[in-house]
Amino acid sequence: QVQLVESGGGSVQSGGSLRLSCAASGYTYSTYYMGWFRQAPGKEREGVAAIDSDGNTNYADSVKGRFTISQDNAKNTMYLQMNTLKPEKTAMYSCEAEEKYISRWARLLKTAYKTWGQGTQVTVSS
């Protein structure tokens, strides 16, 4: 069973940067799909970025050019580098994983993944 543990959240001023980490364990297969999602108070959970075991990435339009998703296979860890953060991006960020195939167009859909972590809070102040 896949387990995910996020870290790296915190408080930052508008325009600042944070790097989130997601440590994964328990993969059965060498092929997998992972994503970062966020949920702000009173809003739906939305996909931010996704990466697969081959390193293919997807980004939500709202974060392109500012966020970078990456992974360190040796450490079984996925990262999300977030730059130029804005107050409206304050949310609980969580990582999600799936070992069954997810088509490229679906990798930012919240229904695509079956396993997710507890989340890490990101607060951006103005």
Side-chain angles (χ1 to χ4, degrees), residues 35-93:
W36 284 102
F37 287 72
R38 64 186 173 199
Q39 187 166 19
K43 294 189 176 182
E44 292 285 323
R45 191 165 88 252
E46 62 175 350
V48 176
I51 191 167
D52 66 20
S53 47
D54 289 332
N56 299 302
T57 59
N58 293 67
Y59 292 95
D61 289 341
S62 61
V63 306
K64 285 180 180 176
R66 298 187 299 113
F67 288 15
T68 302
I69 190 171
S70 62
Q71 61 189 351
D72 184 333
N73 292 330
K75 296 181 180 180
N76 292 326
T77 301
M78 175 179 68
Y79 303 98
L80 184 67
Q81 177 66 44
M82 306 185 292
N83 298 327
T84 320
L85 283 164
K86 303 175 183 178
E88 58 266 31
K89 300 309 179 186
T90 290
M92 180 69 76
Y93 284 71

Side-chain angles (χ1 to χ4, degrees), residues 4 29 34 39 48 77 79 82 104 106-107 118 125:
L4 305 170
Y29 305 104
M34 298 185 74
Q39 187 166 19
V48 176
T77 301
Y79 303 98
M82 306 185 292
R104 289 295 297 269
R107 292 179 188 176
Q118 296 279 43
S125 58

Side-chain angles (χ1 to χ4, degrees), residues 9-11 15-16 23 25 28 35 60 63 68 70 87 89 105 107 110 116 122:
S11 297
S25 61
T28 301
V63 306
T68 302
S70 62
K89 300 309 179 186
W105 66 268
R107 292 179 188 176
K110 58 184 178 181
W116 53 89
V122 172

